[in-house]
């Protein structure tokens, strides 16, 4: 009766195969269904015909959705590449560990029968091939200059072996200059691939994401200078962290662990993500996820002027020198609040949700600002475990506008220090936060670069430009920048880490 109730509740499926394997040095009765593989030890019988009492009995279960590869296991001699004595089947599954990390786990099912193992192998492969989101072919970009020039080693030593194990074909481009990935994507026939992967830092990922979306506009026949309603990216984007801060990887995976990122790609975990367009009145500058104007942009600009320094040193140097020369930008901010229903709105002590009636009603702020952040994603990293914009989500249809007004250096430092703690980094009278869907940033005075001390100062030069930090890439513009949010414009390989807790399967690898 319990079996009938369980089957009616969808807890038990009809078996596809049943057989005997040696698993963990014990003979086991294995049952395969479309959703799971389960096995339990075969208990010896006593002379009276009863099962021997006192032996531990434990049924093991593997959910097939956690399996990413199955191989026939053979014993081969040194140098032998084909053939060999069949030993059984090895199943590779994705195993959740602490701190959001994933690892691969092997379970060995021993049986010397060729017919038996081939029948199981064929059926297991059929089940794996039925997972539609899992990629079979990937276009991969590797930036060898990222961080400590370790991206190439990360890819070929940690990522590529897992792709090969999962039978994923790859076409790899090792980029040779800034903009290389963008130029390749513009000409690439993406129909041959199931996804695109970038191995590098935030700047590399930003370039590939921009290229993927720009390619979508070209293929859709849209004007790439003025993109009001952009076409959606045709393929998901995977991010293998090999940079310094790895904001997008932290946001997607909750860690900068390359194996974790690789396994999310292999398993086909796809998350729709909001994207921004950054435009001037005459052209599209970039597709991106976040931007900073003011302190964050000037720090990046100064770091870029000292590329000859090691990565960490130049960033520390730029941060300290920009902080020493702290000065505000005078500008006007115009923004549109998102149109949301009353049931979607809620109280939050970190970001003020500004809902001011009409969607077409622009609101303006004028003043002297030390930093302006515009972010469509939470922007998690090791230095900001709650995120630079902790109330934003990957696809909630809005951006966080965070405005830091002019204040003393000591107060500004207090605000920055709060990012590393669990305290509210916005709980200062000089910090204002809004939830918006469009922003226009119009500086009153253009910033002019001072080549003598490599800093930015205020000036009114008609030829002057001011820096923007867009996803870790430096852009310098001489006019106002208009930022628009486009909901769920791209799919990224990853998960919503807020929902990950409580759904992490574990298994003993045998």
């Amino acid at each position: 009766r319990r079996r009938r109730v369980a089957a009616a509740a969808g807890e038990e499926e009809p078996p596809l195969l049943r057989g005997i394997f040696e698993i963990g040095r014990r003979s086991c009765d294995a049952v395969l269904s479309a959703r799971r593989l389960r096995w339990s030890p075969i208990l010896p019988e006593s002379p009276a015909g009863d099962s021997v009492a006192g032996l531990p009995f434990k049924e093991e279960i593997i959910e097939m959705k956690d399996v990413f590869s199955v191989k026939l296991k053979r014993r081969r001699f040194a140098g032998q590449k084909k053939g060999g004595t069949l030993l059984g089947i090895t199943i590779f599954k994705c195993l959740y560990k602490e701190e959001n990390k994933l690892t691969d786990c092997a379970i060995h099912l021993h049986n010397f029968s060729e017919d038996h193992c081939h029948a199981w192998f064929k059926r297991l492969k059929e089940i794996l091939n039925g997972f539609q989101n899992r990629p079979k072919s990937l276009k991969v970009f590797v930036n060898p200059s990222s961080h400590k020039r370790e991206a190439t080693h990360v890819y070929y030593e940690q990522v590529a072996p897992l792709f090969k194990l999962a039978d994923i074909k790859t076409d790899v481009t090792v980029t040779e200059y800034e903009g290389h990935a963008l130029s390749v994507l513009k000409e690439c026939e993406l129909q041959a691939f199931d996804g695109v992967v970038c191995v590098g830092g935030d700047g590399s990922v930003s370039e590939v994401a921009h290229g993927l979306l720009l390619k979508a506009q070209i293929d859709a026949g849209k004007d790439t200078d003025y993109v009001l309603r952009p076409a959606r990216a045709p393929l998901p984007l995977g991010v293998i962290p090999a940079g310094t801060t790895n904001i997008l990887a932290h946001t997607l995976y909750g860690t900068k662990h390359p194996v974790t990122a690789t396994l999310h790609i292999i398993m086909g975990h796809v998350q729709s993500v909001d994207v921004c367009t950054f435009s001037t009145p005459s052209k599209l500058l970039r597709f991106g996820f976040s931007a900073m104007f003011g302190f964050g942009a000037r720090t990046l600009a100064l770091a870029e002027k000292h590329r000859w320094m090691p990565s960490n040193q130049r960033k520390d140097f730029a941060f300290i020198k920009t902080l020493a020369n702290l000065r505000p930008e005078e500008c006007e901010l115009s923004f549109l609040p998102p149109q949301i229903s009353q049931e979607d709105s809620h109280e939050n002590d970190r970001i003020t949700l500004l809902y001011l009636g009409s969607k077409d009603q622009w609101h303006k702020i004028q003043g002297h600002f030390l930093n302006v952040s515009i972010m469509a994603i939470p922007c998690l990293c090791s230095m900001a475990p709650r995120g630079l914009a902790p109330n934003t989500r990957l696809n909630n249809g809005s951006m966080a506008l965070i405005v830091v007004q002019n204040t003393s250096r000591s107060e500004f430092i207090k605000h920055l220090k709060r990012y590393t703690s669990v305290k509210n980094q916005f709980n200062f009278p000089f910090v204002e936060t809004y939830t918006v869907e469009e922003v226009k940033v119009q500086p009153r005075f253009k910033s002019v670069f001072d080549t003598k001390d490599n800093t930015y100062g205020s000036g009114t030069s008609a030829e002057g430009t001011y820096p923007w930090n867009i996803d870790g890439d430096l852009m310098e513009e001489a006019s106002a920048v208009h930022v628009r949010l486009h909901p769920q414009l791209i799919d990224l390989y990853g998960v919503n880490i807020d929902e990950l807790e409580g759904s992490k399967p574990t298994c003993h690898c045998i």
Side-chain angles (χ1 to χ4, degrees):
R1 186 173 178 272
R2 281 200 299 266
R3 279 180 174 271
R4 289 197 300 270
V5 172
E11 296 174 3
E12 191 172 305
E13 290 183 315
L16 301 176
L17 288 173
R18 186 167 190 169
I20 295 175
F21 290 93
E22 182 182 309
I23 306 174
R25 298 184 178 182
R26 298 190 68 173
S27 293
C28 295
D29 178 22
V31 180
L32 176 67
S33 68
R35 290 194 301 174
R36 57 179 62 95
L37 169 66
R38 63 177 73 216
W39 68 88
S40 56
I42 298 174
L43 301 179
E45 293 186 350
S46 68
D50 299 326
S51 295
V52 176
L55 290 177
F57 177 90
K58 182 180 180 182
E59 184 179 63
E60 299 279 358
I61 298 175
I62 296 177
E63 298 292 335
M64 290 304 298
K65 65 181 178 61
D66 298 321
V67 175
F68 67 88
S69 181
V70 57
K71 301 290 183 184
L72 290 171
K73 184 179 181 181
R74 297 182 181 274
R75 180 188 292 119
R76 294 190 173 113
F77 298 109
Q80 185 180 4
K81 295 183 178 179
K82 294 184 178 180
T85 304
L86 181 66
L87 301 178
I89 297 172
T90 300
I91 292 174
F92 297 89
K93 74 179 291 287
C94 186
L95 180 65
Y96 287 86
K97 299 179 72 178
E98 70 284 349
E99 298 177 347
N100 297 313
K101 288 183 179 179
L102 305 181
T103 188
D104 57 303
C105 168
I107 300 98
H108 303 288
L109 285 65
H110 294 101
N111 189 304
F112 297 122
S113 169
E114 291 268 357
D115 291 342
H116 185 69
C117 288
H118 279 286
W120 275 73
F121 177 77
K122 180 181 177 182
R123 186 54 66 96
L124 286 164
K125 291 287 286 186
E126 288 174 355
I127 294 173
L128 295 187
N129 291 334
F131 293 109
Q132 298 300 317
N133 282 341
R134 298 189 180 182
K136 304 292 190 298
S137 178
L138 293 170
K139 176 62 188 173
V140 180
F141 292 95
V142 180
N143 180 2
S145 301
S146 290
H147 191 36
K148 298 177 181 177
R149 302 183 182 276
E150 60 187 13
T152 305
H153 296 292
V154 167
Y155 178 72
Y156 287 106
E157 293 175 12
Q158 300 184 56
V159 180
L162 285 171
F163 282 163
K164 183 179 180 180
L165 185 61
D167 298 320
I168 296 175
K169 296 178 181 178
T170 56
D171 182 88
V172 181
T173 296
V174 179
T175 57
E176 300 173 1
Y177 53 88
E178 186 178 349
H180 188 182
L182 178 59
S183 63
V184 170
L185 280 167
K186 284 183 178 180
E187 305 298 327
C188 187
E189 294 296 329
L190 294 177
Q191 297 90 336
F193 304 103
D194 300 314
V196 176
V197 173
C198 177
V199 187
D202 291 323
S204 305
V205 175
S206 176
E207 180 183 330
V208 173
H210 173 66
L212 193 56
L213 284 160
L214 202 60
K215 172 68 171 174
Q217 312 318 307
I218 294 171
D219 290 346
K222 291 181 176 286
D223 182 0
T224 55
D225 286 332
Y226 181 75
V227 183
L228 184 60
R229 293 181 178 85
R232 208 170 185 275
L235 297 176
L237 172 62
V239 179
I240 306 293
T244 305
T245 52
N246 302 297
I247 282 177
L248 199 55
H250 268 284
T251 304
L252 287 169
Y253 315 125
T255 178
K256 63 174 183 178
H257 188 226
V259 169
T260 296
T262 306
L263 288 170
H264 278 299
I265 295 169
I266 290 171
M267 301 298 288
H269 297 157
V270 175
Q271 177 73 49
S272 295
V273 178
D274 298 340
V275 179
C276 306
T277 50
F278 300 89
S279 309
T280 66
S282 60
K283 64 177 180 178
L284 170 71
L285 298 176
R286 195 77 173 224
F287 287 97
F289 304 97
S290 64
M292 281 190 251
F293 173 80
F295 178 81
R298 289 197 301 274
T299 300
L300 177 62
L302 185 55
E304 289 296 310
K305 292 290 181 178
H306 292 77
R307 273 277 172 183
W308 53 270
M309 286 185 175
S311 176
N312 287 336
Q313 287 184 25
R314 73 168 177 265
K315 291 187 176 182
D316 290 344
F317 165 80
F319 178 84
I320 292 170
K321 188 152 189 177
T322 307
L323 195 58
N325 293 288
L326 187 65
R327 64 192 69 180
E329 294 280 3
E330 184 179 358
C331 63
E332 178 182 279
L333 304 176
S334 306
F335 58 90
L336 278 175
Q339 213 170 19
I340 54 176
S341 62
Q342 290 294 327
E343 56 266 25
D344 290 335
S345 63
H346 60 277
E347 295 272 337
N348 193 286
D349 63 348
R350 291 177 290 185
I351 289 186
T352 304
L353 178 63
L354 190 64
Y355 180 64
L356 297 175
S358 171
K359 180 184 176 183
D360 299 321
Q361 184 180 352
W362 283 89
H363 304 274
K364 293 183 179 181
I365 308 173
Q366 295 181 5
H368 293 78
F369 307 122
L370 292 176
N371 192 69
V372 176
S373 298
I374 304 166
M375 299 178 173
I377 62 175
C379 294
L380 276 66
C381 64
S382 58
M383 295 172 289
R386 293 178 63 203
L388 300 177
N391 197 48
T392 308
R393 295 295 176 261
L394 290 171
N395 55 7
N396 65 346
S398 64
M399 302 180 290
L401 171 62
I402 303 166
V403 181
V404 182
Q405 297 178 353
N406 192 21
T407 188
S408 67
R409 184 181 291 106
S410 61
E411 288 297 298
F412 184 65
I413 291 173
K414 287 180 184 178
H415 161 65
L416 295 180
K417 282 184 174 180
R418 285 278 185 91
Y419 279 105
T420 64
S421 71
V422 296
K423 294 182 179 180
N424 188 340
Q425 61 263 47
F426 309 128
N427 190 23
F428 293 96
F430 54 87
V431 180
E432 296 178 1
T433 58
Y434 308 92
T435 298
V436 301
E437 67 176 30
E438 285 190 53
V439 181
K440 294 178 183 177
V441 180
Q442 174 65 68
R444 290 285 183 169
F445 298 98
K446 297 179 176 65
S447 297
V448 181
F449 193 73
D450 185 344
T451 56
K452 291 182 180 180
D453 63 357
N454 287 337
T455 58
Y456 277 87
S458 296
T460 57
S461 169
E463 297 178 358
T465 61
Y466 52 92
W468 279 82
N469 180 342
I470 300 179
D471 292 331
D473 264 357
L474 176 66
M475 303 199 76
E476 296 178 272
E477 289 301 321
S479 58
V481 172
H482 187 175
V483 187
R484 290 187 180 92
L485 182 83
H486 305 280
Q488 302 185 26
L489 195 61
I490 191 171
D491 286 336
L492 299 182
Y493 287 111
V495 293
N496 186 338
I497 60 173
D498 293 329
E499 300 173 359
L500 199 58
E501 293 296 331
S503 61
K504 301 179 179 181
T506 58
C507 175
H508 301 291
C509 294
I510 300 170

